[in-house]
Amino acid sequence: MSTVSETSHSALPDDGVVRAADGTPLKKSLARALRREKLRSFMLIAPLLAFIIIAFVAPIADMLFRSVENSIVRDTLPETVETLADWDPQSGELPDERVFAALYRDLQIAVEQRIHTRVGSRLNYQQPGMSGLFRGTGRDVRRMDEAGPFKPQFLETDEDWAEIETWAVIKRYSPTYTPGYFLNAVDAELTAEGVELKPQNERIYITLFNRTMVMSLIITFSCLLLGYPIAYLLAHLPMRSANVLMILVLLPFWTSLLVRTSAWKVLLQQQGVINDFLVWINLIDDAGRLVMINNQTGTIIAMTHILLPFMILPLYSVMQTISPSYVRAAKSLGATDWTAFWRVYFPQTVPGIGAGAILVFILSIGYYITPELVGGTSGVFISNRIAYHISTSLNWGLAAALGTILLGLVVVLFWVYDRIVGIDNVKLG
Amino acid sequence: MKLKTILMATAAAGILSVPAVAQSDMSLAEAPCENCADSMTLVSWGGAYQTSQINAYSDPYSEVTGVDIVWDESSAEAVARLRAMNEAGNVTWDVVDVVAADAIRLCDEGLAMPVEHDELLADAPDGTPASEDFGDLIVSECFIPQIVYSTTFGYRTDVADWGDNTPSEICDIFDTETFPGQRSLEQRPIGNMEWALYCDGVAFEDIYDTLETEEGVQRALDKLGTIKDDVVWWTAGAETPQLLADGEVVIGSTYNGRLFSAIEEQDQPIAMLWDMQMFDLDGWIIPAGLPEDRLNRAKHFLKFATDTQRLADQAKWISYGPARASSAPLVGQHADLGIDMAPHMPTDPANSENTFLFNYEWWADNRDDLDARFQAWLAQ
């Protein structure tokens, strides 16, 4: 034994490096062990990571991309776009025969593949009337005289082809990337004179963003107002009663969102339970039934109820860890109940308030099912518009731009919160 | 208007209620289907309408062929969903039920498959080719018409504030003095714009020309603006009957079959206001790009589901007129209630004194523009 160890020892260079039993430098050996450890933990999280990248990061990246992507005009009308490059909208002249001939050839192919209406729909987002123009022209283009000249034939098909603006729009939206969707999302548009706000009667998104923010703030605040005393009670009642109360908080939390929203519809409507009760106790008369649904009131009430557990739970978990001896100490030093609460207890609950408020606020600006069902037209959020553009109007680019702005807002708010309160002050449990 | 003549003829035949010999045409389904998928996905609108289709078409069909049929209730979003499926290169639907305007849009965009009507569909029992039997209701080469329905109004019959008055004409919708209370209207411009202009004094035949202009659109929106505060906006056909039943609105628009279901089947205190009902068509399309075995199955099903007898059968469960001229005489009584269906059809002469033939072609072309305007107006 001793001989073996002696020989191995003597085989090593004596350079003062600390070595492991097998002779490798300790530093290297440690690093290797650590690397193995890291690899193992990485393998453990790899499925989740892959899942998040596939199901979360990739779609968001795709969405961000869609909000600026605009290859459809160039792909569908390649020759027109190319010939239009030489034309200057400021000249006040219509494009020449060359462009019309190119448009004819492009449309021939597009109509054959039935994709001309998609260009029309795309350009219609920027200039009303384009969709109808392309549909109509698509029907007529097959009947046109192949020999040309094409300019008179197009002008005869639809007088919009004689408008400079029609061509200017095609030219303006021929690049592969466009700020058009983002401009639309803030009620602006790209015109010959540069970026301008839309006419008053077409502006809606700024209003909706404002409304979403203001109402989410109100909802957050009312959640805090209602949730704080409950969390306090939960944390200070004896275990047995606290558990019962906890169930009452969790039960609605476990109930489906749709069920709870529908329940509010039954409760709040004019012939609903609450109005019936108020009439019955003679607080209001039958003609003066309150309108509490299909407006902002409905959204605020229903969403406050739905998001309340997200406020109570973090508050409760923070309050539970606060030692009662602090308040007792304050009182023994002569503080009144209020002072003891406000100066000693309350500051310790701030991390819970922060966590609850962030959770409720961020959840509520993205809500859309509840506002859709109880919000009418005055109580809907920006997310309802996003859903509308995705499933009904099919303006996915605009939906993506609105979504991107919303995402940006959340990130900014998060950053501001981190600056003011500090994200390490947030405690969820 | 030729279409209207056909619809009236359909109704007239219906009222006579000729007791037809129900030729059980099971042979169509029994015909062998070569290289056919053994399951299929049908898409429809849910509710009473889908139930009528299940009873009349899909249950008899799977009984004979053993095909596994899955229903999807996404017709309201058919255009968007098909577009998304097409982009993803994975169309999971086999036969889709859509309104005429959507069929035209889908066909224009290459998302629906053009069909040879005479080749695909069964002839009428007397040998009339399908294309003639359906006639002008084939509004697009991709569209296989199924029923004629209308969007119309229902009102509560027990509103105390109205005294002895009940709404008798469409413009009573805008008369909040005589008929106070909340109304429900569909959350889209189609229909509402036409009614608004009509009640603002625009002549019947000038409505679409007026809507073509910026001032016309504004005029319609201004008229709607007079009742904007009294309106609950609906997006699903089942909402108005529910709102009426709850007493939440006193009058509201929806599809006539939904109101029929609320009035006759559920016995609610609701009555129909047929004035200026808006005719429309509903039918099937086959999505473009189906693999061959699924396409064969879809065709086999459609041949069965659109023959003369089946189309007449659907009217046993819902008050929509069959789209085939040869089906009209076969329309009989409600399957469960045993009441005569003809007087509940939108095409019945008593109901159709003043009807509006909704111009789906105009809407296919102008929908993008007006939707944007209308939605902006709503949000303000």
Side-chain angles (χ1 to χ4, degrees):
Chain A
M1 265 300 251
S2 68
T3 357
V4 175
S5 87
E6 235 153 63
T7 37
S8 69
H9 263 277
S10 58
L12 293 171
D14 188 21
D15 51 7
V17 176
V18 187
R19 285 168 198 281
D22 62 351
T24 50
L26 189 58
K27 233 183 188 169
K28 224 177 181 178
S29 163
L30 250 177
R32 193 189 300 145
L34 270 178
R35 211 178 312 129
R36 212 176 299 130
E37 192 76 2
K38 269 187 194 158
L39 194 68
R40 193 177 303 139
S41 44
F42 178 78
M43 295 300 277
L44 283 173
I45 63 152
L48 177 64
L49 193 68
F51 177 74
I52 287 183
I53 288 176
I54 294 168
F56 195 66
V57 178
I60 288 184
D62 184 54
M63 181 195 80
L64 295 178
F65 177 66
R66 267 183 195 279
S67 61
V68 292
E69 191 258 0
N70 184 50
S71 54
I72 184 162
V73 181
R74 181 171 285 270
D75 288 352
T76 322
L77 308 171
E79 218 182 312
T80 314
V81 166
E82 205 174 297
T83 45
L84 259 184
D86 306 331
W87 173 71
D88 179 16
Q90 305 288 10
S91 67
E93 301 267 326
L94 275 182
D96 53 22
E97 173 65 19
R98 220 161 44 88
V99 176
F100 280 95
L103 179 66
Y104 173 76
R105 283 190 290 273
D106 284 339
L107 276 179
Q108 281 279 333
I109 300 169
V111 170
E112 190 64 37
Q113 297 173 335
R114 292 167 179 269
I115 49 174
H116 62 292
T117 54
R118 296 184 203 175
V119 188
S121 303
R122 165 68 191 98
L123 292 172
N124 200 72
Y125 301 147
Q126 316 299 340
Q127 171 88 4
M130 292 298 262
S131 174
L133 176 64
F134 270 86
R135 275 175 197 274
T137 310
R139 276 196 288 270
D140 293 344
V141 83
R142 288 183 206 186
R143 289 196 289 273
M144 284 186 186
D145 183 5
E146 274 176 64
F150 296 105
K151 190 167 176 175
Q153 295 191 63
F154 271 100
L155 297 194
E156 196 186 325
T157 295
D158 197 312
E159 57 201 19
D160 278 357
W161 290 118
E163 298 278 332
I164 303 259
E165 189 54 24
T166 304
W167 292 97
V169 166
I170 297 178
K171 188 180 163 84
R172 213 177 292 138
Y173 288 94
S174 51
T176 317
Y177 297 99
T178 174
Y181 292 121
F182 275 98
L183 290 175
N184 273 357
V186 292
D187 294 331
E189 60 191 341
L190 205 56
T191 63
E193 281 82 45
V195 177
E196 274 175 20
L197 274 186
K198 284 193 177 174
Q200 190 71 42
N201 62 0
E202 286 172 31
R203 290 183 208 164
I204 51 174
Y205 297 112
I206 298 282
T207 324
L208 277 171
F209 272 116
N210 280 338
R211 184 195 291 163
T212 306
M213 290 296 148
V214 170
M215 284 178 64
S216 297
L217 272 179
I218 296 176
I219 290 161
T220 310
F221 191 71
S222 40
C223 276
L224 180 61
L225 221 59
L226 295 171
Y228 198 93
I230 298 173
Y232 184 87
L233 208 61
L234 269 172
H236 290 84
L237 279 178
M239 200 49 125
R240 184 191 292 268
S241 12
N243 279 342
V244 176
L245 205 60
M246 193 57 154
I247 292 288
L248 292 181
V249 173
L250 288 177
L251 215 57
F253 187 59
W254 291 328
T255 314
S256 141
L257 177 72
L258 268 175
V259 172
R260 280 186 285 164
T261 307
S262 319
W264 277 113
K265 282 193 93 145
V266 177
L267 289 172
L268 293 177
Q269 60 188 8
Q270 278 190 289
Q271 307 295 326
V273 180
I274 294 178
N275 264 313
D276 281 349
F277 179 74
L278 292 178
V279 170
W280 185 66
I281 61 168
N282 277 327
L283 200 69
I284 55 177
D285 63 15
D286 206 31
R289 285 172 179 259
L290 304 176
V291 184
M292 293 180 291
I293 204 166
N294 296 322
N295 54 23
Q296 299 195 354
T297 322
T299 307
I300 291 172
I301 295 177
M303 280 183 62
T304 301
H305 171 244
I306 283 161
L307 293 172
L308 200 52
F310 291 98
M311 181 65 86
I312 296 178
L313 295 176
L315 273 176
Y316 168 68
S317 73
V318 167
M319 287 177 178
Q320 243 193 346
T321 60
I322 299 173
S323 165
S325 52
Y326 296 142
V327 174
R328 254 182 263 142
K331 281 192 190 161
S332 76
L333 291 171
T336 60
D337 281 353
W338 171 249
T339 317
F341 168 78
W342 184 243
R343 306 267 310 267
V344 176
Y345 189 82
F346 182 79
Q348 297 184 80
T349 61
V350 167
I353 294 176
I358 275 204
L359 212 55
V360 170
F361 187 79
I362 289 180
L363 279 175
S364 65
I365 59 175
Y367 248 56
Y368 83 100
I369 293 178
T370 307
E372 184 72 44
L373 292 176
V374 300
T377 48
S378 67
V380 295
F381 283 8
I382 191 72
S383 17
N384 296 96
R385 214 92 274 271
I386 297 177
Y388 167 79
H389 283 307
I390 285 181
S391 67
T392 310
S393 83
L394 307 185
N395 191 348
W396 292 344
L398 180 55
L402 290 169
T404 308
I405 294 177
L406 199 58
L407 183 67
L409 274 175
V410 171
V411 172
V412 167
L413 284 171
F414 204 70
W415 179 79
V416 168
Y417 182 89
D418 186 34
R419 269 304 162 92
I420 298 172
V421 186
I423 211 66
D424 44 347
N425 261 334
V426 167
K427 247 183 104 182
L428 285 166
Chain B
M1 246 175 224
K2 207 175 157 203
L3 176 53
K4 203 160 175 180
T5 337
I6 292 178
L7 294 175
M8 295 308 153
T10 311
I15 203 110
L16 292 174
S17 224
V18 181
V21 195
Q23 335 125 294
S24 155
D25 215 346
M26 283 299 173
S27 55
L28 275 177
E30 280 160 2
C33 186
E34 273 169 42
N35 185 20
C36 287
D38 48 15
S39 69
M40 66 190 301
T41 306
L42 302 183
V43 186
S44 186
W45 301 85
Y49 181 58
Q50 189 171 311
T51 309
S52 73
Q53 292 176 315
I54 293 174
N55 288 334
Y57 311 142
S58 77
D59 277 358
Y61 184 73
S62 16
E63 208 167 286
V64 182
T65 57
V67 171
D68 192 13
I69 293 180
V70 180
W71 285 88
D72 188 321
E73 302 185 359
S74 309
S75 279
E77 288 159 8
V79 179
R81 296 279 298 271
L82 277 172
R83 203 175 139 185
M85 285 183 190
N86 207 270
E87 204 152 303
N90 180 22
V91 179
T92 58
W93 293 348
D94 295 308
V95 178
V96 188
D97 185 293
V98 289
V99 291
D102 281 349
I104 296 176
R105 280 215 290 174
L106 287 167
C107 208
D108 281 352
E109 293 180 19
L111 296 173
M113 197 185 83
V115 292
E116 283 292 336
H117 289 82
D118 284 336
E119 205 174 289
L120 176 66
L121 308 174
D123 293 342
D126 63 1
T128 315
S131 60
E132 239 171 79
D133 203 13
F134 283 105
D136 282 359
L137 303 195
I138 299 176
V139 295
S140 151
E141 51 178 338
C142 303
F143 185 60
I144 303 163
Q146 200 180 153
I147 52 123
V148 179
Y149 72 98
S150 77
T151 306
T152 181
F153 281 85
Y155 58 88
R156 276 190 76 94
T157 48
D158 59 353
V159 185
D161 291 347
W162 293 355
D164 292 331
N165 294 326
T166 50
S168 58
E169 51 157 31
I170 187 77
C171 298
D172 292 343
I173 308 298
F174 295 94
D175 184 358
T176 45
E177 295 269 308
T178 322
F179 302 104
Q182 299 261 68
R183 288 103 167 87
S184 71
L185 292 176
E186 188 171 6
Q187 196 170 358
R188 59 173 203 173
I190 301 176
N192 295 328
M193 302 293 263
E194 285 99 325
W195 283 319
L197 283 182
Y198 176 73
C199 291
D200 205 35
V202 176
F204 223 57
E205 54 277 4
D206 296 338
I207 287 181
Y208 288 104
D209 290 338
T210 314
L211 270 185
E212 197 93 44
T213 64
E214 177 60 32
E215 300 77 43
V217 172
Q218 196 53 50
R219 188 169 166 190
L221 291 177
D222 287 345
K223 181 72 181 174
L224 285 170
T226 59
I227 54 168
K228 196 177 180 185
D229 292 339
D230 300 301
V231 174
V232 178
W233 300 95
W234 61 268
T235 49
E239 284 177 59
T240 293
Q242 186 63 50
L243 289 166
L244 281 168
D246 289 350
E248 200 57 14
V249 301
V250 290
I251 187 164
S253 68
T254 187
Y255 316 125
N256 72 292
R258 307 288 175 136
L259 286 169
F260 169 81
S261 162
I263 296 168
E264 298 295 336
E265 292 171 8
Q266 292 155 31
D267 223 6
Q268 297 289 339
I270 302 172
M272 301 285 294
L273 171 62
W274 288 102
D275 188 45
M276 269 293 260
Q277 53 163 323
M278 202 158 287
F279 275 160
D280 196 2
L281 297 171
D282 198 279
W284 303 109
I285 56 114
I286 306 175
L290 289 187
E292 204 190 332
D293 60 332
R294 283 171 55 200
L295 179 60
N296 288 342
R297 176 55 73 192
K299 286 180 169 174
H300 191 254
F301 169 77
L302 284 175
K303 186 161 206 160
F304 171 80
T306 56
D307 76 356
T308 300
Q309 182 60 44
R310 301 283 139 229
L311 281 191
D313 278 356
Q314 191 181 358
K316 282 184 194 163
W317 287 280
I318 199 153
S319 56
Y320 294 144
R324 286 187 92 125
S326 63
S327 296
L330 306 183
V331 171
Q333 293 179 332
H334 190 279
D336 303 321
L337 302 174
I339 50 173
D340 226 351
M341 290 302 275
H344 298 281
M345 294 293 172
T347 44
D348 187 86
N351 303 334
S352 56
E353 272 167 26
N354 189 19
T355 57
F356 192 88
L357 201 61
F358 157 74
N359 189 340
Y360 31 76
E361 266 170 34
W362 189 88
W363 276 109
D365 280 0
N366 293 283
R367 201 169 158 181
D368 288 342
D369 296 344
L370 281 176
D371 270 354
R373 272 303 296 281
F374 187 77
Q375 295 296 334
W377 173 80
L378 266 186
Q380 277 164 354

